[in-house]
Amino acid sequence: QVYMVESGGGSVQAGGSLRLSCSASINSFTTRCMAWFRQAPLLEREGVASIDYESTTRYADSVKGRFTISKDYAKSVLYLEMSSLKPEDTAMYYCAAKSGIRCLLLEGTYNYWGQGTQVTVSS
């Protein structure tokens, strides 16, 4: 059983920074891929960033250079450092995990999900 609980969301002005955390029961097999997704109102959930078991990362074009995904196995925590935030980054952010080795940002391929944490960026 994998549990995932996000925290760190909040309200920030444009240009600001936030760090999201996802406390997870990290099992090296079931969480070979971990990722962050987000969903804005009336829009589909989209992939933001992923990290695999070798710490190789992938990012959506919209967040490259601004967001950084990382993980701490010792603390069983997945992080998303967000800087230079824009109003269009406003969304519910979810952490996710799966056992596959290809960590593409495809929502339907992830098996485990957290409940989400809200990020609101004002202009």
Side-chain angles (χ1 to χ4, degrees):
Q1 187 71 21
V2 176
Y3 72 81
M4 308 185 77
V5 180
E6 303 94 337
S7 62
S11 297
V12 64
Q13 290 191 327
S17 301
L18 282 174
R19 186 177 77 163
L20 305 184
S21 301
C22 174
S23 296
S25 56
I26 295 179
N27 172 288
S28 61
F29 176 74
T30 58
T31 57
R32 294 183 77 177
C33 289
M34 301 187 76
W36 288 96
F37 286 78
R38 66 185 181 186
Q39 187 169 21
L42 304 180
L43 297 179
E44 294 185 352
R45 194 175 300 186
E46 64 173 352
V48 174
S50 69
I51 186 167
D52 71 12
Y53 63 102
E54 293 182 329
S55 296
T56 300
T57 57
R58 286 183 171 87
Y59 294 92
D61 289 342
S62 59
V63 306
K64 282 181 181 177
R66 300 189 299 122
F67 291 10
T68 302
I69 188 171
S70 62
K71 60 186 177 183
D72 185 332
Y73 271 118
K75 297 181 179 179
S76 298
V77 180
L78 178 72
Y79 297 103
L80 184 68
E81 298 272 2
M82 306 185 295
S83 62
S84 301
L85 283 162
K86 304 175 182 179
E88 51 263 45
D89 294 319
T90 295
M92 185 72 78
Y93 283 72
Y94 301 89
C95 60
K98 65 174 182 175
S99 59
I101 60 174
R102 296 192 69 198
C103 302
L104 302 179
L105 293 171
L106 300 176
E107 177 189 0
T109 64
Y110 284 77
N111 308 103
Y112 306 101
W113 293 86
Q115 295 300 306
T117 186
Q118 178 68 38
V119 172
T120 302
V121 184
S122 58
S123 57

